[in-house]
Amino acid sequence: MRAGMEDKEKKINPPPTLLHPEMWCEEFNHFISQHERMHTRRPYHVQDGEKYCLEDDLVNLEALDEDTIVHQLQKRYADLLIYTYVGDILIALNPFQNLSIYSPQFSRLYHGVKRASNPPHIFASADAAYQCMVTFSKDQCIVISGESGSGKTESAHLIVQHLTFLGKANNQTLREKILQVNPLVEAFGNACTVINDNSSRFGKYLEMMFTPTGVVMGARISEYLLEKSRVIKQAAGEKNFHIFYYIYAGLYHQKKLSEFRLPEEKPPRYIADETGSVVHDITSKESYRRQFEAIQHCFRIIGFTDKEVYSVYRILAGILNIGNIEFAAISSQHQTDKSEVPDAEALENAASVLGISPEELQEALTSHCVVTRGETIVRANTVDRAADVRDAMAKALYGRLFSWIVNRINTLLQPDKNICHAEDGMNVGILDIFGFENFQRNSFEQLCINIANEQIQYYFNQHVFALEQVEYQSEGIDAVPVEYEDNRPLLDMFLQKPLGLLALLDEESRFPQATDQTLVDKCEDHLRCKYFWRPKGVELCFGIQHYAGKVLYDASGVLEKNRDTLPADVVVVLRTSENKLLQQLFSIPLTKTGNLAQTRARVSAASRSLPPHFSAGKAKVDTLEVIRHPEETTNMKRQTMASYFRYSLMDLLSKMVVGQPHFVRCIKPNDHREALRFSRERVLAQLRSTGILETVSIRRQGYSHRIRFEEFVKRYYYLAFRAHQTPPPSKESCVAILEKSRLEHWVLGKTKVFLKYYHVEQLNLLLQEVLGRVVVLQAYTKGWLAARRYKRVREKREKGATAIQSAWRGYDARRKFKKISNRRRESAVHIQAALQGCVDHKSYLEVESNNGQADTTSNSSVTEKTRDSQAQSSPKGFDGFAGHANKLSLAGTDSPCLVAPDRQGPRPRAAPQSLGSATGLAQKQRTPHRRCQQPKMLSSPEDTMYYNQLNGTLEYQGSKRKPRKLGQVKVLDGDDEYYKALSPVDCSPEDSNSAHRFFFSSSPSTGDSFLPH
């Protein structure tokens, strides 16, 4: 009964810190995360498959034709069922509206359950990747592809959100940081285009890093192919990157536009539009101000310092001010194509914000240095050349700033080495890249974007079609081959050397006299295939037959964009900036992909961004980095945009091929971005271009999972064998496992097991159920062992506690007894001292009264008695003196005329041998005296008479003592004859008279009585 009440009280009143996870310690957080990840939930049951809706998967359709698939997608889209399966591939239609299916309740719904238990969802794809990572201990890759505006960026957000929920980071801060990464990066890398208000203008590969047990521990971003040309120019109906509008609105509402030298009325040239009302829109719309506050929040949550954010704002403002610099031609005596800056205010504004000298900036823009045969020649720039240098400077500033922000995020989100090393963990990569684009005017940027999409489509074809069918043939599996559109020849036309399109572009860019027309002519001469054609009647134009359709490209300005020239003079000027972040941007070398290299500078924990060789004042530039800078060479063999693009594709694919792929194909239902509007023609074109129809066919007929015998037996032998058994990796073992699992439609090859896409999920659920039972048994066994171990430890502790308590109590009792004994002894001493003092005082008073009476009666006859005693020389005379001395000693040590220097107590003293009563004197005892009593000084008349008489006697005895003068103070000692004579003796009262006669005898013959007879 009591136990039940205690349990009830614990449920009602839990520990205070249990309801506050932020107060949990790191060890407890890690324990909770591990415990939640164990299979302690209710066991999963495969028989829930009857609830599966056949319409959720297009593979289950009876008729596999285009009209049936499009009709099915349209029907589901009308019911706001935007997700549909094609085997293990997810199709996502953009709803163009907000749906309430992404709350935490849905995240819990798609957590480790069978896929058929819930409707198709983007969370299910994220959960499948996560479960495969944890189960197979292998990296995963989620590839999101589709046209621009089909919802790829939002899908990436949702996948990151669900993976963060599944990973359950040990601290809330890390989860918040990861969720804030995408909004911050997209503010700098996304822009508004004609077909998409939030179009990605770069490629992003986000890797979420997990521990071996599935706990998220960090993240890393790789960015590719930023469209830097958008900074200086945008097409009609498009805008610059979002961050420029956000910062303009934020600084306007903070009243800081003047501090950053930005105008309040006339917009900067880089963000101006045809209407001229961009500044009014920025300052009047509340959305821009809210976005600026959201960006500040992202900076703060991720870990950027206020100084770093301020430096970023100044660089962005400097880019806008650079765009306002205009040039004019001036004529000189020797040269007529010289340029200058007529508006000094714009130049000073840009120089002031960037922290550089206006004169040096003007010189770098209007002239350049050429090194020829060891000599440096300064040449003036024309107006067009100066404008190109200005724009190249702005593009380089923005591109390097974006790359620095990505590197800074990676530094702040890197895994904690105390939890797990990065190489020991596993990754789930998420690819969010710009979609296929086909505008009215397509230039070099669209060409790179579409080549990247061709590469992603080839990756999809290889994993879904090519590799699968190759393994059918090698393993002897009887399967019907599926025809699909292979884009490998098109990729070769773009990427092969030396006659690929990009190779020809680089070759033509190295010729100073080359033009865009010569480039088009060279491509027409060498690219003779069905994928390349040149339209008639248009000179600077060529067409490409992509997997998604035909695209016509405008070749004007392609060579200059590919060169991407940044003069060394501009780099040197920017390195002298007072802004340390700006110094760093142009001191770190670039990688082969065109991004800033990850620095290894020794920096503080608070800010790891600024290198140590940048001090206050004039910057000390590292000469090694200056030499390594790829932009400072003057020859034409510098890196081009095409070479950066090629290396970026190689780096991206190298990351993707490591993991097991999961595909999400995003479809745009209409081009007008209207909700619930379904364009059959537009959707069908996308299904054809992405190969969805062929995918449905191969997923129905083929086997998407191909596992070697060794790995299959090692992974699933729990389902058919005992835990202590080690079955051989053979066909028989695989058959036993598959039959025990009651699976159908599987095939065994020569070395591999071929499974349908749904077989692996069923096997994993069965394995989780078995492991869940094992975990329960282990938990009970470990609990029993722990309880027994605890009981032993508790008994041992109780015995130890009893021994300690016994020893302590004995010690405490002895200590108290000793304290009481000391107090009693001290009290007894005090009482005895007081009593003895009282007795001594009373005795002293009695002696004083007796001495006063004796002196009064005998004072008149003292002289006569002394003479009589000396004449008679009677032995009784000394006895009388001794008796008188004994009476005096009764007063104790308080007597004013006697002192006992010996502190060892009373002891017998020998009497002088010359006296007749020598035997009686030897028995006399001294009275005890008080401790610490100072010797008494004798100055009475009787003492004077005695010393006069005694001196005479001692001189006669041959004493060496010198006679003392009258009134001299004598300090008694133990050898003094007078002191010896005062020893207490037992005498009769009648001897007192003779003692007085001895005291007052002044005859010179008195000393004879002390001589021996």
Side-chain angles (χ1 to χ4, degrees):
M1 185 68 180
R2 176 179 295 180
M5 292 297 293
E6 290 178 356
D7 293 341
K8 186 175 181 181
E9 290 178 359
K10 289 181 180 179
K11 292 179 181 179
I12 298 176
N13 299 318
T17 58
L18 187 62
L19 302 180
H20 302 280
E22 65 276 4
M23 299 176 61
W24 295 352
C25 63
E26 183 177 355
E27 293 78 6
F28 187 70
N29 266 311
H30 188 67
F31 168 76
I32 291 298
S33 62
Q34 303 299 327
H35 181 72
E36 290 181 350
R37 213 157 271 100
M38 294 173 60
H39 304 291
T40 54
R41 302 172 57 185
R42 181 177 300 177
Y44 306 111
H45 299 282
V46 184
Q47 56 265 27
D48 293 338
E50 288 78 13
K51 301 180 182 178
Y52 182 65
C53 180
L54 298 179
E55 297 179 353
D56 290 343
D57 196 339
L58 298 180
V59 175
N60 297 323
L61 297 178
E62 296 182 0
L64 282 181
D65 54 72
E66 294 180 350
D67 293 338
T68 304
I69 293 176
V70 173
H71 174 73
Q72 186 65 29
L73 293 176
Q74 183 176 8
K75 178 182 176 182
R76 294 177 62 83
Y77 186 73
D79 297 334
L80 289 180
L81 299 175
I82 62 175
Y83 296 111
T84 307
Y85 290 130
V86 180
D88 53 353
I89 300 170
L90 181 69
I91 296 179
L93 279 77
N94 193 340
F96 293 114
Q97 60 177 316
N98 295 324
L99 301 179
S100 58
I101 58 174
Y102 307 109
S103 61
Q105 289 77 9
F106 280 87
S107 295
R108 288 188 288 270
L109 193 63
Y110 292 89
H111 181 194
V113 298
K114 187 179 179 181
R115 190 183 67 165
S117 302
N118 299 310
H121 202 285
I122 189 70
F123 288 170
S125 298
D127 182 68
Y130 177 80
Q131 298 299 335
C132 288
M133 178 196 67
V134 175
T135 304
F136 306 141
S137 298
K138 186 178 179 181
D139 293 344
Q140 307 293 311
C141 175
I142 302 177
V143 181
I144 308 173
S145 59
E147 292 188 2
S148 179
S150 58
K152 299 184 300 300
T153 300
E154 188 61 28
S155 298
H157 287 184
L158 297 172
I159 290 176
V160 172
Q161 172 186 332
H162 194 58
L163 287 176
T164 306
F165 169 81
L166 296 175
K168 293 189 184 303
N170 290 339
N171 54 71
Q172 186 70 21
T173 304
L174 178 59
R175 279 184 275 181
E176 293 179 356
K177 286 182 178 181
I178 294 176
L179 293 177
Q180 297 298 328
V181 166
N182 279 332
L184 178 61
V185 175
E186 289 168 8
F188 285 84
N190 290 21
C192 178
T193 62
V194 178
I195 60 178
N196 189 359
D197 290 339
N198 189 30
S199 176
S200 297
R201 311 316 299 168
F202 72 108
K204 177 183 62 180
Y205 190 73
L206 175 62
E207 296 175 272
M208 295 186 62
M209 292 172 278
F210 297 84
T211 64
T213 56
V215 181
V216 61
M217 62 178 180
R220 180 172 57 246
I221 300 179
S222 300
E223 51 98 4
Y224 304 100
L225 308 172
L226 178 68
E227 188 186 3
K228 296 185 294 184
S229 60
R230 181 171 292 271
V231 175
I232 61 174
K233 187 177 181 181
Q234 306 89 39
E238 297 188 355
K239 292 183 179 181
N240 210 321
F241 291 102
H242 293 326
I243 189 62
F244 289 111
Y245 305 94
Y246 297 163
I247 187 177
Y248 214 101
L251 296 178
Y252 172 80
H253 289 285
Q254 292 180 358
K255 309 298 182 182
K256 292 183 179 180
L257 286 177
S258 59
E259 179 182 349
F260 291 85
R261 304 297 182 92
L262 295 175
E264 295 187 6
E265 298 180 358
K266 183 180 179 181
R269 190 172 64 89
Y270 283 162
I271 61 173
D273 56 0
E274 299 83 359
T275 61
S277 61
V278 61
V279 174
H280 179 266
D281 294 340
I282 292 174
T283 56
S284 59
K285 289 184 178 180
E286 191 69 17
S287 59
Y288 285 120
R289 185 181 65 83
R290 290 197 301 267
Q291 290 292 342
F292 176 75
E293 295 175 353
I295 294 304
Q296 285 187 311
H297 178 71
C298 291
F299 275 125
R300 183 171 58 255
I301 293 297
I302 294 176
F304 286 79
T305 63
D306 294 340
K307 185 177 180 180
E308 290 172 345
V309 175
Y310 181 76
S311 299
V312 170
Y313 290 167
R314 292 195 71 86
I315 293 175
L316 292 173
I319 293 173
L320 294 178
N321 281 286
I322 287 174
N324 295 331
I325 300 176
E326 301 290 344
F327 300 96
I330 59 174
S331 59
S332 61
Q333 184 178 0
H334 304 287
Q335 192 175 8
T336 58
D337 55 353
K338 196 174 182 181
S339 61
E340 66 173 0
V341 180
D343 186 6
E345 182 180 0
L347 183 67
E348 292 178 356
N349 289 339
S352 175
V353 175
L354 295 176
I356 57 180
S357 171
E359 293 78 12
E360 295 180 357
L361 177 59
Q362 181 176 0
E363 183 179 358
L365 294 176
T366 58
S367 62
H368 66 280
C369 297
V370 178
V371 180
T372 304
R373 295 179 181 179
E375 296 182 359
T376 302
I377 302 175
V378 180
R379 295 181 179 178
N381 293 333
T382 62
V383 174
D384 294 338
R385 172 66 179 171
D388 292 340
V389 173
R390 175 200 62 196
D391 294 341
M393 179 180 175
K395 291 191 296 182
L397 276 171
Y398 193 80
R400 291 168 184 258
L401 177 63
F402 181 74
S403 184
W404 176 86
I405 291 175
V406 171
N407 291 343
R408 182 70 176 134
I409 291 174
N410 292 336
T411 302
L412 295 171
L413 295 185
Q414 62 184 356
D416 187 359
K417 294 182 180 180
N418 297 327
I419 299 177
C420 180
H421 292 281
E423 55 271 13
D424 297 334
M426 298 170 293
N427 301 332
V428 175
I430 305 163
L431 176 63
D432 176 22
I433 199 168
F434 25 56
F436 187 85
E437 294 182 350
N438 186 5
F439 300 145
Q440 292 182 355
R441 181 184 180 275
N442 302 288
S443 185
F444 179 69
E445 294 79 17
Q446 281 68 42
L447 177 64
C448 294
I449 289 172
N450 293 337
I451 293 176
N453 280 272
E454 289 283 355
Q455 185 70 69
I456 301 303
Q457 180 64 25
Y458 175 75
Y459 177 81
F460 174 80
N461 292 339
Q462 286 294 305
H463 281 83
V464 175
F465 303 109
L467 296 179
E468 187 170 330
Q469 299 194 49
V470 168
E471 291 199 23
Y472 292 162
Q473 298 177 3
S474 62
E475 292 286 330
I477 302 300
D478 185 14
V480 179
V482 177
E483 299 293 335
Y484 66 97
E485 187 68 27
D486 189 6
N487 64 339
R488 175 64 182 272
L490 180 59
L491 277 178
D492 291 339
M493 186 198 74
F494 285 127
L495 302 177
Q496 70 179 357
K497 291 183 179 182
L499 298 179
L501 191 149
L502 295 181
L504 295 175
L505 178 60
D506 283 345
E507 181 181 353
E508 198 70 10
S509 299
R510 295 188 180 99
F511 292 110
Q513 304 301 326
T515 61
D516 297 328
Q517 184 63 49
T518 60
L519 172 65
V520 175
D521 294 339
K522 180 176 287 188
C523 290
E524 185 180 11
D525 294 339
H526 294 85
L527 303 178
R528 296 181 178 180
C529 59
K530 64 178 182 179
Y531 301 105
F532 180 89
W533 86 95
R534 189 174 178 183
K536 297 180 180 180
V538 183
E539 295 184 355
L540 296 179
C541 188
F542 62 91
I544 301 293
Q545 177 65 47
H546 288 282
Y547 77 95
K550 295 181 179 180
V551 180
L552 200 63
Y553 294 98
D554 186 358
S556 58
V558 172
L559 281 180
E560 189 61 31
K561 291 179 180 180
N562 184 53
R563 288 169 181 154
D564 194 28
T565 305
L566 181 66
D569 307 83
V570 176
V571 176
V572 173
V573 171
L574 293 176
R575 285 179 175 176
T576 62
S577 172
E578 297 176 357
N579 189 335
K580 294 185 178 180
L581 176 57
L582 185 56
Q583 293 175 2
Q584 183 183 4
L585 295 183
F586 288 88
S587 297
I588 302 176
L590 299 179
T591 63
K592 290 185 178 181
T593 60
N595 304 326
L596 288 182
Q598 190 75 29
T599 58
R600 297 181 180 179
R602 294 171 296 176
V603 293
S604 61
S607 177
R608 304 179 183 177
S609 58
L610 302 180
H613 54 259
F614 293 131
S615 57
K618 196 69 174 179
K620 298 179 181 179
V621 182
D622 191 350
T623 56
L624 178 61
E625 292 185 349
V626 174
I627 295 174
R628 292 177 58 187
H629 198 285
E631 301 282 355
E632 293 208 17
T633 57
T634 56
N635 57 26
M636 298 303 295
K637 293 184 180 181
R638 63 170 61 92
Q639 295 289 332
T640 61
M641 291 299 298
S643 62
Y644 287 147
F645 174 73
R646 183 182 289 107
Y647 283 116
S648 297
L649 282 182
M650 294 172 57
D651 184 70
L652 177 60
L653 287 177
S654 66
K655 289 182 171 64
M656 294 172 58
V657 297
V658 174
Q660 179 181 347
H662 302 262
F663 296 99
V664 177
R665 309 295 295 207
C666 296
I667 303 295
K668 183 167 58 174
N670 62 81
D671 291 332
H672 304 282
R673 292 177 285 181
E674 296 181 4
L676 298 178
R677 181 174 178 178
F678 190 90
S679 174
R680 293 179 59 91
E681 295 77 11
R682 193 72 183 87
V683 172
L684 182 59
Q686 296 177 70
L687 294 177
R688 289 173 178 173
S689 62
T690 56
I692 294 297
L693 302 178
E694 294 82 0
T695 304
V696 174
S697 177
I698 198 171
R699 279 295 177 261
R700 169 181 281 190
Q701 302 174 13
Y703 304 92
S704 59
H705 294 275
R706 303 167 294 278
I707 308 174
R708 298 183 65 86
F709 291 158
E710 296 83 357
E711 185 178 355
F712 184 82
V713 173
K714 180 181 179 181
R715 188 184 300 174
Y716 299 112
Y717 80 94
Y718 284 106
L719 300 178
F721 301 93
R722 297 185 181 275
H724 63 276
Q725 295 179 342
T726 306
S730 60
K731 282 188 176 182
E732 291 74 14
S733 300
C734 296
V735 170
I737 296 173
L738 293 170
E739 291 179 351
K740 185 72 174 179
S741 304
R742 299 179 181 179
L743 299 183
E744 299 177 352
H745 307 299
W746 46 266
V747 177
L748 292 180
K750 297 178 181 178
T751 60
K752 294 183 179 180
V753 178
F754 288 78
L755 303 174
K756 297 286 186 179
Y757 64 91
Y758 53 84
H759 283 159
V760 172
E761 181 185 13
Q762 295 177 2
L763 287 172
N764 290 339
L765 292 177
L766 290 173
L767 182 62
Q768 288 180 4
E769 184 177 354
V770 172
L771 293 179
R773 296 170 183 172
V774 172
V775 169
V776 172
L777 291 176
Q778 290 179 349
Y780 277 104
T781 303
K782 291 179 180 179
W784 178 78
L785 292 174
R788 188 178 65 171
R789 186 163 49 250
Y790 170 74
K791 184 178 180 180
R792 293 176 180 176
V793 172
R794 186 178 60 182
E795 292 176 354
K796 187 176 180 180
R797 287 183 178 180
E798 289 178 354
K799 293 180 180 179
T802 302
I804 293 173
Q805 292 174 359
S806 176
W808 164 253
R809 288 170 180 169
Y811 165 76
D812 189 54
R814 289 189 296 271
R815 183 172 56 86
K816 292 180 179 179
F817 174 77
K818 186 177 180 180
K819 185 176 181 181
I820 294 173
S821 300
N822 292 337
R823 290 179 59 185
R824 288 181 176 179
R825 189 179 296 108
E826 292 176 359
S827 300
V829 171
H830 285 300
I831 294 173
Q832 291 174 1
L835 181 60
Q836 186 66 32
C838 181
V839 172
D840 292 347
H841 184 66
K842 184 176 181 181
S843 301
Y844 169 72
L845 294 179
E846 293 177 355
V847 172
E848 282 293 326
S849 60
N850 295 333
N851 290 342
Q853 294 176 2
D855 292 342
T856 304
T857 55
S858 61
N859 195 18
S860 59
S861 58
V862 64
T863 303
E864 184 179 358
K865 289 182 180 181
T866 303
R867 292 176 180 176
D868 294 340
S869 64
Q870 292 176 354
Q872 293 177 0
S873 300
S874 175
K876 294 182 179 181
F878 189 78
D879 295 338
F881 161 70
H884 179 73
N886 189 25
K887 291 179 181 179
L888 294 176
S889 65
L890 293 176
T893 57
D894 292 334
S895 177
C897 58
L898 298 177
V899 174
D902 190 3
R903 299 183 182 181
Q904 301 298 325
R907 61 182 180 180
R909 292 284 184 176
Q913 297 179 3
S914 60
L915 298 178
S917 58
T919 305
L921 289 176
Q923 299 177 355
K924 295 179 181 179
Q925 302 291 331
R926 290 177 53 201
T927 57
H929 63 278
R930 295 184 181 178
R931 292 183 178 181
C932 302
Q933 184 175 0
Q934 298 296 330
K936 298 293 184 176
M937 294 178 293
L938 304 179
S939 60
S940 62
E942 293 82 2
D943 295 336
T944 303
M945 294 173 60
Y946 162 72
Y947 277 109
N948 289 337
Q949 189 178 16
L950 184 61
N951 286 335
T953 306
L954 293 176
E955 289 177 0
Y956 180 80
Q957 294 177 346
S959 174
K960 298 181 180 180
R961 299 175 184 263
K962 294 182 181 180
R964 292 182 175 86
K965 296 181 181 180
L966 183 62
Q968 186 175 358
V969 178
K970 170 70 167 85
V971 180
L972 299 183
D973 54 72
D975 297 332
D976 198 329
E977 294 293 337
Y978 177 70
Y979 182 80
K980 294 178 180 179
L982 294 180
S983 298
V985 295
D986 297 332
C987 60
S988 56
E990 58 270 15
D991 294 336
S992 61
N993 295 330
S994 61
H996 289 288
R997 288 195 299 270
F998 171 81
F999 266 69
F1000 300 103
S1001 176
S1002 59
S1003 174
S1005 61
T1006 310
D1008 297 339
S1009 62
F1010 291 92
L1011 298 176
H1013 297 284

